[in-house]
Amino acid sequence: MLLKNDLNRILIENAVRLNLKNFENDEKRCIRRLIDTGLSVSKKNSEKSTFNDIRALFADDDSKYYPATSNLFRNLSRDRLINFGVNLGYNCFNKGAKTIEHLEKTTGKTIPWIADMDVTLQNEAKYRTETFNKLLNHYSNFGINAYIMRFEQNIPEDTYLAILKTMEEFPYTNFMLILPDEVLSNKILLAMDKLNNIILVLNMDHSSYREMLEKAEAMQLINATMFKVNDGFSDKIKESDLFVKVSKNLCPIVIFDVTKDISESEKNAFISGLSSLRANPPEPIFMMNLENDIQSINRSISGKEVSTHINVKG
C-alpha cells in the first residue's frame, strides 16, 4: 500500500507551513506552536507521550534546544525539513502507530515502528530489482513508515542510484542512511538531492567524515553525526570535543550507537549520563541513542521491545 498525501497530512503540513511564515519574527513562539500542532493531532497516549517529552525539552526559555532548532530552519531547505518532519510526526508516530496497534490486536503479531536493513556486497543486487520496492510496499501495510539502511563499503554506484530511485517513489516514508567510510560520487549525491525523505548519518570516526559532511551541507541535505559508544567512551568523548564540533554543523544532531561488545557497566554509565545531558545539553545540539530510543518508541506502541531487522537475502 503506497502511502498517499491524505487529507489529515495535508492539513497538518499546511498548519506547519503557515506557522513557519513568521519564524524570522519570533522563532521561539513558532517552535512552541509546532510542538503544540503535534500534540493537537495526537489521539493515543503513546503519541501524546512523545510530543510531551519534546515539549519538556523546550520548557525553559533559555533551553539550548531553541538555537539548535533555529539552526536547522535557518540553514536547511525548509521544504525538506517540513516533509521529513511531517512524515515522522504523522506517518510514523500517528498513522503508522495506529495501524501497528490495530494489527497487533487483530493478528497477534509484534510489529516494529521502524525497520532496519543492511546493504551488503552479498545482497546489494537485490536492491537493484523490484525486491526493494515490494518490501517497502509490504511493510507499509503493517504501518512501518520509517527505515534504517546500513551501507557496507564498496557498494556499486548503480545500487545506490536504484535504491534512491525507489525512495523517490515513497515520498511519505522516511529513510535513515548510515553511510560507509568512503566519499560517495557526485552522481549519488545529486540523486540524494532530489529527495526530501532522507537523513544521512556520517560516522565521526571515518576518514571520509569531513569531506562527506561538507558535501552534504553544501547541498543542504539533512544529516547527523554518528559516534560509536564502546569501552573507554567517557575518556574518548572528552578528548574529541564532540559536542562543540557537532554544534557547529548545519545539522547539530549527534546519534550515539552503542556497540554490542561494550561492558555492562560502561553501557549503564553512558545511558545514565546521556539522560542528564539531554535535560541540559552542553551545546545547542540534539542527541539520539539509536537503539534505546527506537525501543522506547516500540514499548510505547507495543508494550515491549521488538526486533527491527529485515533480512534481504542475496
Side-chain angles (χ1 to χ4, degrees):
M1 180 186 68
L2 188 63
L3 274 179
K4 295 181 180 178
N5 200 11
D6 65 32
L7 180 59
N8 286 333
R9 191 188 189 286
I10 291 170
L11 291 173
I12 293 167
E13 184 172 330
N14 286 343
V16 171
R17 290 185 182 280
L18 184 63
N19 177 52
L20 287 173
K21 281 187 175 180
N22 298 315
F23 185 76
E24 283 71 21
N25 298 327
D26 194 340
E27 294 181 0
K28 290 184 179 179
R29 184 167 181 266
C30 282
I31 292 168
R32 286 192 290 266
R33 289 187 65 180
L34 284 176
I35 299 168
D36 290 341
T37 299
L39 267 169
S40 68
V41 299
S42 300
K43 306 297 181 185
K44 299 280 187 179
N45 288 336
S46 59
E47 299 164 29
K48 289 187 179 295
S49 174
T50 300
F51 286 103
N52 276 323
D53 288 344
I54 295 171
R55 177 187 264 178
L57 299 177
F58 293 87
D60 184 347
D61 204 48
D62 294 323
S63 168
K64 290 185 179 177
Y65 288 108
Y66 281 111
T69 305
S70 296
N71 284 341
L72 289 175
F73 282 109
R74 282 198 301 265
N75 297 326
L76 295 181
S77 159
R78 194 155 294 182
D79 282 341
R80 192 165 273 159
L81 285 171
I82 290 171
N83 188 84
F84 193 91
V86 176
N87 280 359
L88 192 63
Y90 177 62
N91 290 341
C92 296
F93 294 155
N94 184 296
K95 189 174 183 178
K98 288 175 184 174
T99 303
I100 289 169
E101 288 176 333
H102 172 72
L103 288 174
E104 287 188 338
K105 288 177 183 176
T106 56
T107 68
K109 292 181 178 180
T110 302
I111 304 166
W113 76 274
I114 191 170
D116 204 322
M117 298 180 182
D118 299 309
V119 184
T120 68
L121 292 173
Q122 286 71 40
N123 70 12
E124 56 85 17
K126 283 290 183 182
Y127 288 95
R128 286 185 269 124
T129 68
E130 291 183 356
T131 297
F132 185 40
N133 187 297
K134 288 178 178 177
L135 275 173
L136 295 180
N137 268 303
H138 174 72
Y139 286 108
S140 68
N141 285 324
F142 291 94
I144 303 174
N145 299 325
Y147 297 84
I148 298 171
M149 303 194 70
R150 302 172 187 268
F151 288 84
E152 198 172 73
Q153 281 187 256
N154 301 316
I155 298 298
E157 181 183 78
D158 285 350
T159 302
Y160 274 101
L161 296 176
I163 288 171
L164 295 167
K165 183 65 178 175
T166 300
M167 289 176 180
E168 201 172 348
E169 298 172 24
F170 291 80
Y172 307 119
T173 300
N174 275 355
F175 299 91
M176 176 185 286
L177 311 184
I178 300 181
L179 300 181
D181 189 3
E182 57 187 324
V183 178
L184 300 180
S185 70
N186 287 336
K187 197 170 183 180
I188 294 172
L189 288 165
L190 287 170
M192 290 177 170
D193 193 36
K194 294 179 181 179
L195 305 176
N196 290 336
N197 57 341
I198 61 172
I199 178 170
L200 309 186
V201 181
L202 311 171
N203 192 322
M204 181 174 263
D205 291 333
H206 286 173
S207 60
S208 62
Y209 171 74
R210 181 51 55 183
E211 188 172 351
M212 277 299 297
L213 177 66
E214 289 174 359
K215 288 178 179 290
E217 290 189 337
M219 304 182 86
Q220 293 192 327
L221 294 168
I222 303 173
N223 66 83
T225 295
M226 176 174 278
F227 197 95
K228 288 285 185 180
V229 180
N230 45 34
D231 288 335
F233 167 78
S234 301
D235 294 329
K236 187 179 177 184
I237 200 168
K238 290 174 185 175
E239 294 170 5
S240 71
D241 210 9
L242 168 70
F243 299 120
V244 172
K245 289 178 180 177
V246 174
S247 71
K248 294 177 181 177
N249 294 348
L250 298 188
C251 282
I253 305 168
V254 60
I255 296 177
F256 293 106
D257 193 21
V258 180
T259 58
K260 290 181 171 59
D261 58 352
I262 191 172
S263 68
E264 201 62 29
S265 60
E266 186 85 17
K267 181 179 179 180
N268 291 336
F270 162 70
I271 292 172
S272 174
L274 183 61
S275 178
S276 300
L277 284 172
R278 276 177 157 170
N280 186 23
E283 299 288 337
I285 60 173
F286 296 100
M287 290 171 271
M288 178 180 179
N289 180 356
L290 192 59
E291 179 63 24
N292 269 32
D293 289 349
I294 286 171
Q295 291 302 346
S296 175
I297 296 169
N298 280 330
R299 287 192 297 270
S300 72
I301 296 171
S302 304
K304 55 187 171 184
E305 296 190 1
V306 186
S307 173
T308 61
H309 191 260
I310 291 176
N311 184 23
V312 180
K313 295 181 180 179

